[in-house]
Amino acid sequence: MGQIYLPLVINGTEIIGVFDSGSPYSVIGDTLSTKVKMVLSSLLDYGYFPFLYDDTISLKVSKSVFFHVRNLRSESKIAFRIIPNSNNFALWGNDIIDQYNWFFDYNTMLVTISNKPIDINVQNSIKIAYENKLNPLRKTCTLFLPKEIQLGSDFDIFNNLYQDHIAISDVLLDSGYHGYTKVGDKIFSYCLMIVNDAMYGKLIVNGEYKQNCVLVPTNGDSYVFNHITGKGNPVFNGVINISEDYNFLKKIGVNGILPLGKNEFYSGMYLDTKNHVVYLLNK
């Protein structure tokens, strides 16, 4: 489980970066920018990298360049952001991702990239429709959470998870995020959420209110919520951490993060950027 790493060729030099749908733009460290002979523009930008810096930092901006994924040249040039004091740090954001459709086969560890639809059987997959929010460019969706959740000490859920729901909008689809938690002897990806006071007050664990809750349905599956376009069907295999105060989520202006990194519960992921849909292929 975890992040997806992808080679990219910039100015004839191949470097490896994280495939990060949670980032509006592509970023490389200052050491790598020198290695690929990046030419800087006079522009500055600002970015927030919660696992590297506590606050927003200033970023230099390169002049726009074409890039290659193997022998496939980009449809348009992009301007890379340069992050200081970060050596080999690199991530490929939505300015790269949205130029192609992507299919990641987790069994073979191969990726298929095309500017046309990719012929993939998605009949038994989980479909997540999203929208591109601008300024900055992010992929967000709306998810349902149950209105009331009661947990026992062994993480049993006593009510029907899908009887009643609260819609949470502006949930970031983030293939660069890698959060994991352990329940018993199992390790799961988890989703972060910000909830309002009304929702938070209904989270009960052993008769006490808890800030962080891990939810696992009693049927042995690990999904905990479902998508607004597919109510009644599981969407995400993982667990969920809920808090009334995740400062870094507030800073980037989203209500939650749904990780889209490599997950042991799926055989692959098809990101159809032209139609704004993600398909998670069941094993």
Side-chain angles (χ1 to χ4, degrees), residues 92-118:
W92 315 137
N94 287 318
D95 51 359
I96 286 176
I97 293 172
D98 283 352
Q99 297 198 36
Y100 309 111
N101 293 321
W102 308 78
F103 172 59
F104 297 92
D105 188 327
Y106 298 153
N107 295 322
T108 63
M109 300 300 289
L110 295 175
V111 56
T112 302
I113 306 165
S114 177
N115 50 18
K116 298 178 181 179
I118 300 174

Side-chain angles (χ1 to χ4, degrees), residues 75-175:
E75 293 183 343
S76 60
K77 295 181 178 181
I78 68 165
F80 288 85
R81 273 57 174 183
I82 315 300
I83 188 169
N85 306 316
S86 53
N87 296 323
N88 293 322
F89 180 87
L91 61 83
W92 315 137
N94 287 318
D95 51 359
I96 286 176
I97 293 172
D98 283 352
Q99 297 198 36
Y100 309 111
N101 293 321
W102 308 78
F103 172 59
F104 297 92
D105 188 327
Y106 298 153
N107 295 322
T108 63
M109 300 300 289
L110 295 175
V111 56
T112 302
I113 306 165
S114 177
N115 50 18
K116 298 178 181 179
I118 300 174
D119 186 16
I120 302 296
N121 183 1
V122 297
Q123 184 175 358
N124 295 318
S125 65
I126 292 166
K127 177 182 178 182
I128 306 175
Y130 67 85
E131 60 178 320
N132 275 335
K133 292 291 185 70
L134 301 177
N135 299 319
L137 177 60
R138 291 196 176 100
K139 296 172 173 32
T140 63
C141 67
T142 299
L143 298 175
F144 277 119
L145 293 180
K147 281 188 176 179
E148 187 169 357
I149 304 165
Q150 190 176 31
L151 303 178
S153 59
D154 57 355
F155 300 108
D156 286 338
I157 290 181
F158 298 110
N159 65 311
N160 187 330
L161 192 63
Y162 296 114
Q163 282 184 342
D164 213 352
H165 299 82
I166 291 176
I168 297 185
S169 61
D170 292 329
V171 176
L172 183 68
L173 297 180
D174 191 353
S175 61

Side-chain angles (χ1 to χ4, degrees), residues 6 12 14 19 46 50 143 166 170 174 181 202 207 217 222 227 237 246-247 250 257 259 264 268 270 277:
L6 191 75
E14 182 178 275
F19 184 86
Y46 296 89
L143 298 175
I166 291 176
D170 292 329
D174 191 353
T181 190
K202 294 181 178 180
S222 57
H227 186 253
N237 280 311
Y246 274 108
N247 288 326
K250 293 180 179 179
I257 294 178
E264 65 179 5
Y270 176 31
V277 178

Side-chain angles (χ1 to χ4, degrees), residues 202-271:
K202 294 181 178 180
L203 297 173
I204 306 170
V205 180
N206 295 333
E208 298 179 359
Y209 294 114
K210 298 293 184 181
Q211 183 176 9
N212 298 300
C213 297
V214 177
L215 315 178
V216 181
T218 55
N219 61 7
D221 293 331
S222 57
Y223 56 83
V224 294
F225 48 81
N226 62 344
H227 186 253
I228 193 169
T229 61
K231 190 171 181 179
N233 298 316
V235 158
F236 182 70
N237 280 311
V239 297
I240 189 165
N241 273 353
I242 300 177
S243 173
E244 61 182 347
D245 184 23
Y246 274 108
N247 288 326
F248 80 90
L249 292 184
K250 293 180 179 179
K251 283 186 178 180
I252 61 178
V254 297
N255 294 322
I257 294 178
L258 175 59
L260 287 181
K262 184 178 182 297
N263 190 305
E264 65 179 5
F265 299 102
Y266 304 114
S267 63
M269 176 176 69
Y270 176 31
L271 176 52

Side-chain angles (χ1 to χ4, degrees), residues 45-97:
D45 202 350
Y46 296 89
Y48 178 53
F49 303 88
F51 301 105
L52 294 176
Y53 297 93
D54 293 332
D55 213 336
T56 300
I57 62 169
S58 175
L59 302 170
K60 295 179 180 179
V61 180
S62 78
K63 290 187 176 180
S64 295
V65 295
F66 287 107
F67 61 89
H68 289 77
V69 186
R70 290 294 189 257
N71 61 347
L72 185 63
R73 196 185 82 161
S74 59
E75 293 183 343
S76 60
K77 295 181 178 181
I78 68 165
F80 288 85
R81 273 57 174 183
I82 315 300
I83 188 169
N85 306 316
S86 53
N87 296 323
N88 293 322
F89 180 87
L91 61 83
W92 315 137
N94 287 318
D95 51 359
I96 286 176
I97 293 172

